[in-house]
Amino acid sequence: MKALLAGLALAAMVAPAMLPGKADAADYKAEYKLSTVLGKPFPWGVGGDRWAELIKEKTGGRITVKMYPGTSLVNGDQTKEFTALRQGVIDLAVGSTINWSPQVRELNLFSLPFLMPDHKAIDALTQGPVGKQLFELLSTKDVVPLAWGENGFREISNSKRPIRTPDDLKGLKIRVVGSPLFLDTMTALGANPTQMSWADAQPALSTGAVDGQENPLAVFVAAKLPTLGQKHLTLWGYVADPLIFVVNKEVWASWSKEDQEAVRAAALQAAAEEIAISRKGITAADDSLLKDIAAQGVEVVQLTPEQQKAFQAATRSVYDKWAKQIGPDLVKAAETSIAGAR
């Protein structure tokens, strides 16, 4: 009888840990791998690092995350990051909608030329029905999306001349990411798009192998692009690049409900902080970053609405072509959300 009672007592202690949906922290990995394209001091890397820090804090140290910038977990090929995340090579990521769009065509939405005129438009998409729909889609692809971050509007620079009209782009070698949509857009404008990773782009700019690039202003400054010959910068806001904080689905399922909610809360907080950093100094209320860029000898061109319309007209065929591939209903929902925000 004593042996029976002892056995029942032991079973009672063990049973809670065996309930469905309750993970045992003892089974957690000693360290989880978080992938980003950019590290600190870029806002992207700051956001990833902050997420890792908050996860450890909010889980009481049960989950420890190490950030691997430069997409080093996939040998620097940022277009392979999402596949590696699905396969479990990567546990967590703060990823770019652009880099993941080859595997998730709907994410090309954010790269439609001149879809989003301002930050209100980005927020209308990511924080509204469109963002929810995209998260539901991603949830079917072996990942758990938790929060939207932001790399920012991609502005264009080059070493040759100011860009004020589509004709000014003709013949310029412009580095672009590995997305067919970007290739189509630059080709429509008469440029010579050259696809390469960001790791390869910086030496290519330095040697003059390419003339220019397009990236958010925070990247322009942190990467010290004025020192790589990028003396002509045009603010045209032709596309924006939201970031997504995600966890591999199997990794997510291995955590307790308590820790899942802690990781989610950490993602939401880190994303909000990262967005604030990415927008700092580039608004009408605070243009300090733009002034810093100009002080480095860079000619900054701000397109007028009329000038921007010329670029829109030149890329309209690209917009229409890709809207069909992305999904007309999704694009229409995005246009409606943006119109409502204005």
Side-chain angles (χ1 to χ4, degrees):
M1 180 63 71
K2 289 182 179 180
L4 176 60
L5 291 174
L8 290 174
L10 178 61
M13 289 187 290
V14 173
M18 299 176 65
L19 290 173
K22 184 174 181 61
D24 184 353
D27 295 331
Y28 287 11
K29 294 182 182 180
E31 183 176 271
Y32 293 87
K33 297 177 180 179
L34 166 63
S35 176
T36 63
V37 172
L38 299 176
K40 300 167 70 173
F42 299 91
W44 192 338
V46 172
D49 189 66
R50 179 62 171 150
W51 189 23
E53 178 183 78
L54 286 169
I55 287 173
K56 185 174 184 178
E57 174 187 313
K58 292 180 182 295
T59 63
R62 289 185 297 276
I63 299 177
T64 300
V65 177
K66 180 179 179 180
M67 187 175 79
Y68 290 80
T71 43
S72 55
L73 297 173
V74 285
N75 297 317
D77 189 343
Q78 55 220 57
T79 62
K80 293 181 179 178
E81 183 181 55
F82 188 73
T83 299
L85 180 64
R86 296 186 69 182
Q87 294 171 341
V89 175
I90 295 169
D91 299 313
L92 307 88
V94 180
S96 159
T97 56
I98 296 171
N99 293 333
W100 293 357
S101 63
Q103 288 81 39
V104 187
R105 62 180 173 82
E106 290 83 357
L107 293 180
N108 282 293
L109 174 73
F110 299 103
S111 299
L112 285 175
F114 303 101
L115 168 67
M116 297 166 285
D118 50 33
H119 288 124
K120 286 184 179 180
I122 301 176
D123 293 340
L125 297 186
T126 60
Q127 307 306 315
V130 169
K132 182 180 179 181
Q133 183 177 341
L134 289 171
F135 269 20
E136 289 173 352
L137 173 65
L138 286 169
S139 295
T140 67
K141 298 184 181 295
D142 307 313
V143 301
V144 179
L146 300 175
W148 289 98
E150 189 171 301
N151 196 23
F153 278 104
R154 301 179 74 89
E155 315 295 7
I156 192 163
S157 70
N158 78 100
S159 60
K160 300 294 186 183
R161 53 182 176 266
I163 296 174
R164 294 187 175 88
T165 70
D167 283 346
D168 294 328
L169 266 164
K170 288 185 176 177
L172 290 180
K173 294 180 181 178
I174 304 295
R175 175 266 173 181
V176 294
V177 295
S179 163
L181 176 45
F182 280 72
L183 294 172
D184 284 354
T185 298
M186 288 297 168
T187 299
L189 292 168
N192 179 12
T194 303
Q195 179 181 320
M196 61 177 65
S197 70
W198 182 241
D200 293 333
Q202 294 176 80
L205 290 168
S206 178
T207 61
V210 293
D211 301 314
Q213 60 84 53
E214 43 75 61
N215 254 309
L217 293 178
V219 174
F220 185 89
V221 172
K224 300 179 180 179
L225 294 187
T227 66
L228 302 181
Q230 299 300 289
K231 296 298 186 180
H232 303 286
L233 173 66
T234 295
L235 308 181
W236 63 342
Y238 83 125
V239 300
D241 182 19
L243 304 175
I244 307 176
F245 289 63
V246 303
V247 179
N248 169 276
K249 185 166 287 187
E250 289 188 2
V251 169
W252 179 262
S254 74
W255 293 335
S256 69
K257 296 295 183 184
E258 177 188 0
D259 285 338
Q260 287 176 353
E261 291 312 306
V263 172
R264 186 188 302 276
L268 291 168
Q269 182 178 337
E273 293 177 9
E274 189 274 334
I275 289 173
I277 295 170
S278 72
R279 295 182 183 182
K280 186 177 181 181
I282 60 173
T283 65
D286 174 18
D287 64 351
S288 56
L289 189 62
L290 292 172
K291 290 177 180 176
D292 288 345
I293 292 171
Q296 296 178 57
V298 177
E299 180 181 5
V300 180
V301 174
Q302 174 72 66
L303 295 185
T304 66
E306 291 73 23
Q307 288 174 322
Q308 193 175 56
K309 286 178 182 177
F311 286 92
Q312 286 179 289
T315 55
R316 187 65 208 189
S317 61
V318 176
Y319 187 106
D320 292 340
K321 169 188 172 182
W322 278 88
K324 294 176 183 177
Q325 297 186 37
I326 293 164
D329 291 343
L330 180 61
V331 174
K332 181 63 177 177
E335 293 171 343
T336 300
S337 292
I338 291 170
R342 302 190 76 184

